[in-house]
């Protein structure tokens, strides 16, 4: 048991929002019904962040591997993302949320990319909660894209290969403006990370919980965070 004085809050929480499909299946409904319920859940979780001491929240919405799903599910998700951003624009302003996206935008359609730019621009001066949405995001893809940009700087003579260290590489990642996550939560009972924040989670704590994402309430969130607060993090050092 960690003494009360050592109970800490998680400054950056990252969530793998999994289980929408199974939630819908349990109700005999199409997968997209589950994705819609999942999207509705996000506002409550973002709203709970300030009181729970969470300054940064990063959510995994669509992975670089999710293109393997049926064309109709992918199209439904892309349309949901467009409607979601347009609909939530004002609530992000009301809640003081600064929105950013990580992932490769190149493969996303023009209309969605425009909405992503708009919401980033509109909310850029908000500072209450930093919400990062991972859309067409894959950890390996991110490191590969970062390496490509870094290699270009080396090739052009702007950067010396000898100067490349962990900090240099981190500057080229999509997450360059974010602290590393303290806690990664995955819902739906799967105990894997599915290519999420591979580099950034080197010292994150993990919580794998059985709740399906559409059932993940602010109360469940608070419970998971209180468990995190009792963990002892060492970062490779000896026991204090
Ligand atoms: C997570 O829910 C949302 C996305 C990956 C887009 P799933 O769609 O993976 O739900 P399950 O895992 O099939 O239940
Ligand atoms: C991870 O969930 C991606 C998102 C939550 C967006 P998946 O459902 O795609 O992961 P796997 O396929 O079970 O590993
Ligand atoms: Mg899944």
């Amino acid at each position: 048991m960690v003494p009360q004085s050592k109970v800490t809050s998680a400054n950056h929480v990252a969530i793998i929002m999994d289980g929408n499909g199974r939630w819908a299946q349990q109700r005999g409904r199409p997968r997209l019904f589950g994705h819609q319920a999942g999207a509705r859940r996000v506002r409550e979780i973002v709203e709970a962040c300030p009181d729970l001491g969470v300054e940064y929240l990063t959510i995994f919405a669509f992975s670089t591997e999710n293109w393997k799903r049926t064309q109709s599910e992918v199209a439904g998700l892309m349309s949901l993302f467009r409607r979601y951003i347009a609909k939530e624009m004002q609530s992000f302003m009301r809640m003081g949320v600064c929105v950013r996206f990580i992932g490769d935008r190149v493969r996303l359609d023009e209309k969605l990319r425009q909405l992503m730019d708009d919401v980033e621009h509109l909310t850029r001066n908000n500072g209450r909660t930093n919400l990062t949405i991972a859309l067409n995001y894959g950890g390996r893809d991110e490191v590969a894209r970062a390496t490509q940009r870094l290699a270009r700087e080396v090739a052009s003579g702007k950067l010396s290969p000898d100067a490349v260290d962990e900090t240099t590489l981190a500057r080229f990642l999509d997450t360059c403006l974010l602290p590393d996550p303290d806690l990664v939560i995955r819902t739906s009972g799967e105990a894997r990370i599915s290519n999420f924040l591979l580099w950034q989670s080197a010292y994150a704590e993990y919580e794998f919980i059985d709740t399906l994402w559409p059932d993940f309430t602010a109360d469940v969130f608070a419970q998971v965070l209180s468990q995190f607060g009792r963990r002892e993090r060492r970062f490779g050092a000896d026991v204090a």
Side-chain angles (χ1 to χ4, degrees), residues 90-221:
Q90 288 315 314
S91 76
F92 290 139
M93 291 309 287
R94 179 177 53 76
M95 296 189 290
V97 177
C98 174
V99 182
R100 297 185 184 93
F101 292 90
I102 55 172
D104 188 0
R105 301 184 192 204
V106 171
R107 207 169 158 186
L108 303 175
D109 72 64
E110 183 59 42
K111 178 100 192 295
L112 177 56
R113 270 158 43 188
Q114 187 59 55
L115 281 159
M116 290 160 71
D117 288 346
D118 291 350
V119 73
E120 281 185 333
H121 185 74
L122 183 74
T123 63
R124 70 193 184 287
N125 295 322
N126 293 342
R128 200 147 179 260
T129 305
N130 292 278
L131 173 67
T132 303
I133 304 175
L135 222 172
N136 193 24
Y137 175 86
R140 288 184 170 180
D141 177 69
E142 178 192 32
V143 172
R145 284 185 290 104
T147 308
Q148 205 178 82
R149 288 199 292 270
L150 188 152
R152 265 195 208 107
E153 292 217 347
V154 170
S156 71
K158 261 201 252 164
L159 183 65
S160 152
D162 297 329
V164 177
D165 59 12
E166 291 181 17
T167 319
T168 323
L169 183 54
R171 273 202 291 115
F172 289 87
L173 295 172
D174 298 348
T175 51
C176 59
L177 298 174
L178 308 176
D180 283 344
D182 299 293
L183 171 66
V184 178
I185 301 169
R186 183 174 188 143
T187 58
S188 91
E190 308 295 347
R192 55 177 171 266
I193 56 173
S194 302
N195 206 6
F196 190 43
L197 300 176
L198 296 180
W199 168 281
Q200 298 84 346
S201 299
Y203 267 99
E205 300 288 325
Y206 283 93
E207 285 284 350
F208 298 102
I209 62 161
D210 288 337
T211 311
L212 302 175
W213 174 252
D215 294 327
F216 189 84
T217 59
D219 281 346
V220 178
F221 190 28

Side-chain angles (χ1 to χ4, degrees), residues 45-56:
I45 300 308
V46 175
E47 206 152 26
C49 284
D51 283 348
L52 295 170
V54 176
E55 219 182 319
Y56 291 85

